[in-house]
Amino acid sequence: GEVLSAYPTEPCESPGFRRHVPLLSGRAVQAAEWTPVKHQQLKEKYIFLVRHAQSTWNREVDLMKTVRHQKLPEISVKDVLSSAAHIATREVWHRDHPISDEGVLQSQQLREKIRLARCDGPESFHEVDEEEEMRSSDEEERIRRFYQHFLESTQSIYCSPLLRALQTAHFALSDHDGWGSIKLLKEAREHFNFIFQRDCLGTDFGSNLVDRAVSMSKSLVDETDQRLSGRLDASDCQEKWWSDDPETEADVDRRLQELWRRLLEEDPQDSCILVTHSNLIKALLMRFGGVEHSLLALRAEEVACGEGASA
């Protein structure tokens, strides 16, 4: 739930599209700028990728990471590790965790940051470093368009049907601020890589999915129930939308291609937002953004060292 300082870099070519790969610094919002090339007509499209806020499972993982890297004289490390391991063992068998109290705070901070940027301009949203002060006028213009597109509330919001993602979308991109409906896309769910990743498995579909989201969210933020049920479009998740078996690389690649096609071709606007998961964002950037795994690993290490980011 913390916004990135991110902006498009130099374009790189791909059959049928011209894409501008983002430089990333932070952990929640990333963007790929794509230009479809059809009949010599170029059209820009921005797809903003938002990673969900901290979930209750992330919280337990963060606790174990914190204990590993810090000394806590007032409490026994053995006790903390034992407690964290007990919670982790219990939680690992649960499906589809909600966001934590810290996740709610992260979502609210992102919402406030967007609100201030709309009032004060993108400068309050994006901190300029020394290297960026030497940008060309073309780069300045592209960065201006980048923030202009993101700060508009008229663009479509697409979201993973997993609870932590749709709660982040609802709390950070509030309808009180002019944001519209949230369309759930089954292809936007997290990569289910191995059997212990139970958090990647759904529990409900159709109207039951919406009812569960309302029930699990109204205790976190006031006036959530009726507003959330009215915003969610679960038409893409009327049937079982998750796999009970770990996905192969081929399965994930097919899912990514369908997701990217829908965002580029089915969405009629020139920008949209996708609220999803860290592993899926990495896969999208490597598959369509020309970003190497080593760069993503470096960015993740920088965030973990500098901000205590959750997995």
Side-chain angles (χ1 to χ4, degrees):
E2 180 177 343
V3 72
L4 274 181
S5 297
Y7 55 89
T9 64
E10 291 302 314
C12 54
E13 299 299 329
S14 179
F17 294 93
R18 177 173 299 163
R19 68 187 176 215
H20 302 278
V21 181
L23 288 179
L24 311 175
S25 173
R27 75 175 179 212
V29 178
Q30 305 174 16
E33 175 188 348
W34 284 74
T35 308
V37 180
K38 294 182 179 180
H39 308 297
Q40 304 302 316
Q41 294 181 350
L42 302 181
K43 181 181 177 181
E44 286 186 337
K45 177 151 191 174
Y46 292 80
I47 298 175
F48 297 93
L49 306 175
V50 183
R51 190 259 186 179
H52 66 81
Q54 185 195 63
S55 70
T56 54
W57 171 248
N58 297 145
R59 180 185 60 202
E60 310 311 332
V61 173
D62 284 349
L63 174 60
M64 288 185 281
K65 287 181 178 179
T66 300
V67 172
R68 187 179 65 184
H69 292 292
Q70 296 183 6
K71 293 182 178 180
L72 305 174
E74 71 281 4
I75 189 171
S76 166
V77 172
K78 180 180 179 180
D79 290 342
V80 174
L81 285 175
S82 176
S83 176
H86 173 74
I87 294 172
T89 302
R90 183 190 66 201
E91 290 286 336
V92 76
W93 295 110
H94 291 179
R95 295 183 174 206
D96 198 9
H97 298 85
I99 60 175
S100 64
D101 291 340
E102 177 64 22
V104 173
L105 178 61
Q106 291 172 351
S107 300
Q108 292 172 335
Q109 288 173 337
L110 176 56
R111 177 186 175 186
E112 179 65 11
K113 201 165 188 178
I114 293 172
R115 188 191 68 79
L116 290 176
R118 285 175 172 172
C119 295
D120 303 334
E123 291 77 11
S124 63
F125 201 68
H126 175 64
E127 296 179 1
V128 178
D129 57 30
E130 293 181 2
E131 292 183 1
E132 295 178 60
E133 290 179 353
M134 302 179 66
R135 291 187 301 247
S136 68
S137 58
D138 288 343
E139 289 174 330
E140 290 279 1
E141 173 59 20
R142 286 174 51 217
I143 294 171
R144 185 195 65 78
R145 292 200 308 271
F146 176 93
Y147 285 104
Q148 179 182 358
H149 279 283
F150 180 72
L151 295 173
E152 291 178 352
S153 60
T154 56
Q155 58 193 311
S156 301
I157 302 173
Y158 299 98
C159 185
S160 161
L162 288 165
L163 183 59
R164 56 196 182 274
L166 67 88
Q167 285 179 325
T168 300
H170 180 58
F171 296 150
L173 307 173
S174 172
D175 54 346
H176 283 319
D177 301 331
W179 298 100
S181 62
I182 301 170
K183 182 173 179 59
L184 306 182
L185 298 180
K186 57 188 177 184
E187 293 90 1
R189 67 187 185 274
E190 180 61 300
H191 179 191
F192 182 27
N193 192 35
F194 61 94
I195 193 65
F196 289 110
Q197 291 179 318
R198 311 296 291 175
D199 202 26
C200 299
L201 302 178
T203 61
D204 295 289
F205 47 84
S207 60
N208 289 338
L209 188 159
V210 176
D211 292 343
R212 178 174 183 264
V214 170
S215 175
M216 298 285 285
S217 301
K218 60 185 179 182
S219 62
L220 298 175
V221 176
D222 293 338
E223 301 179 2
T224 294
D225 47 357
Q226 293 182 352
R227 289 176 39 238
L228 178 56
S229 61
R231 293 188 73 191
L232 286 183
D233 177 357
S235 59
D236 194 50
C237 303
Q238 291 301 306
E239 299 179 349
K240 182 181 176 183
W241 44 267
W242 66 91
S243 170
D244 287 322
D245 299 316
E247 298 175 284
T248 66
E249 291 299 324
D251 292 334
V252 176
D253 188 65
R254 284 192 293 269
R255 182 152 64 88
L256 290 177
Q257 293 205 50
E258 176 61 13
L259 173 61
W260 210 238
R261 183 197 66 78
R262 296 184 69 177
L263 295 175
L264 286 174
E265 298 178 11
E266 292 185 8
D267 179 77
Q269 302 181 61
D270 55 7
S271 66
C272 64
I273 295 174
L274 175 65
V275 183
T276 184
H277 309 269
S278 58
N279 289 331
L280 199 77
I281 288 175
K282 293 174 186 176
L284 284 170
L285 292 177
M286 289 189 290
R287 179 67 177 81
F288 302 108
V291 179
E292 296 180 0
H293 184 271
S294 57
L295 176 59
L296 291 172
L298 177 61
R299 295 294 186 186
E301 181 179 353
E302 289 175 351
V303 172
C305 292
E307 302 179 22
S310 56

